[in-house]
Amino acid sequence: MTGTRGEDKPPVVVITGASQGIGAEIAKLFSREVPGVSLALLARNEAKLREVQGACAAESMVNVYPCDVSDADRLEAVLTQLRDDMGSPDVLINNAGTWHGEAVQDMTPADFDRVIASNLRSTYLLCHYLLPGMLALGRGDIFNMASTAAFEGYAGVSAYCAAKHGVAGFTKALREEVREHNIRVSCISPGPTWSPSWHNTGVPEEKLMPAEDVARAFLNIYNMDRNVVTEDIVLRPRSGHIVSN
């Protein structure tokens, strides 16, 4: 891709949590609007990944890599295969995550660990394994998905709040580590966004943000001149704070 972004080749973009919701919309949007893009879609559900792959623009190269991105050994093997297939990625979108609602006194340690692993450990692991390639290329973009839960506290969602606070802090530190290496690091914090996880909650879809509009925020940040770093962006529904029944 040429132009103000100063790149000499179309990007290779890794998207985690790409099987549904915001991750799926990011994949479809990038496939339509970034000429020549190659997409690597990661999530645990291969069937849903294949559906997203089929919904992407036919002109784009789209590969799917089913895996649990919080499993270090499995992820390392998958990323080795990904680099063999597609070359070294220069865009990473850490979108994978899970939510668990339960009071602290009732939540099991296993559930707490699972939420931290899915949201925070996975973000670290992808950065750990893919940063060396970006440093060698001399460029890169990393988008870490946080949430309004990254700077607020919600009763009954302590594990998720802890994980997203961690993602926000990790992103700030990483940005300073790579600032002088032409690697931009952004933290995106959306509020309630429509996805399958909101089914049967009693919250009407029209009160939530459309996933495709949140996805467009990623593309808009990516398309800015490389001298522009969007450090943090917050998106909220017009109606404000939303609690499910």
Side-chain angles (χ1 to χ4, degrees), residues 115-184:
V115 174
I116 297 297
S118 177
N119 291 278
L120 179 56
R121 175 180 166 86
S122 67
T123 297
Y124 154 73
L125 287 174
L126 267 296
C127 292
H128 173 71
Y129 289 131
L130 294 184
L131 260 176
M134 292 183 185
L135 291 168
L137 289 170
R139 67 175 181 273
D141 284 274
I142 297 173
F143 298 89
N144 291 336
M145 177 69 83
S147 162
T148 52
F151 44 85
E152 296 175 350
Y154 305 139
V157 198
S158 58
Y160 186 74
C161 288
K164 292 305 188 183
H165 273 69
V167 169
F170 175 83
T171 303
K172 288 180 174 69
L174 177 63
R175 184 183 301 122
E176 297 310 311
E177 289 186 16
V178 301
R179 186 182 290 278
E180 302 305 317
H181 297 278
N182 194 26
I183 298 173
R184 304 184 300 182

Side-chain angles (χ1 to χ4, degrees), residues 71-86:
D71 182 332
D73 292 340
R74 173 61 180 153
L75 179 62
E76 185 175 19
V78 164
L79 293 177
T80 297
Q81 183 62 57
L82 187 159
R83 284 188 289 262
D84 289 344
D85 295 340
M86 309 179 74

Side-chain angles (χ1 to χ4, degrees), residues 13 18 63 66 74 76 90 94 113 119 128 139-140 146 158 162 167 169 181 185-186 190 192 208 216 227 233 239:
V13 181
N63 289 351
R74 173 61 180 153
E76 185 175 19
D90 42 17
N94 277 312
D113 289 347
N119 291 278
H128 173 71
R139 67 175 181 273
S158 58
V167 169
H181 297 278
V185 183
S186 299
L208 304 169
R216 185 161 291 280
N227 198 40
I233 185 169
S239 54

Side-chain angles (χ1 to χ4, degrees), residues 148 151-152 154 189-192 209 234-241:
T148 52
F151 44 85
E152 296 175 350
Y154 305 139
S189 297
M209 295 185 294
V234 179
L235 303 101
R236 294 182 188 270
R238 179 173 48 82
S239 54
H241 185 60

Side-chain angles (χ1 to χ4, degrees), residues 13 15 24-39 41 52-62 219:
V13 181
I15 307 171
E25 295 302 327
I26 293 171
K28 290 184 280 188
L29 186 62
F30 270 67
S31 77
R32 293 195 305 267
E33 300 198 18
V34 179
V37 69
S38 296
L39 299 176
L41 309 183
V52 176
Q53 180 186 40
C56 288
E59 304 80 31
S60 301
M61 177 182 180
V62 183
L219 181 66

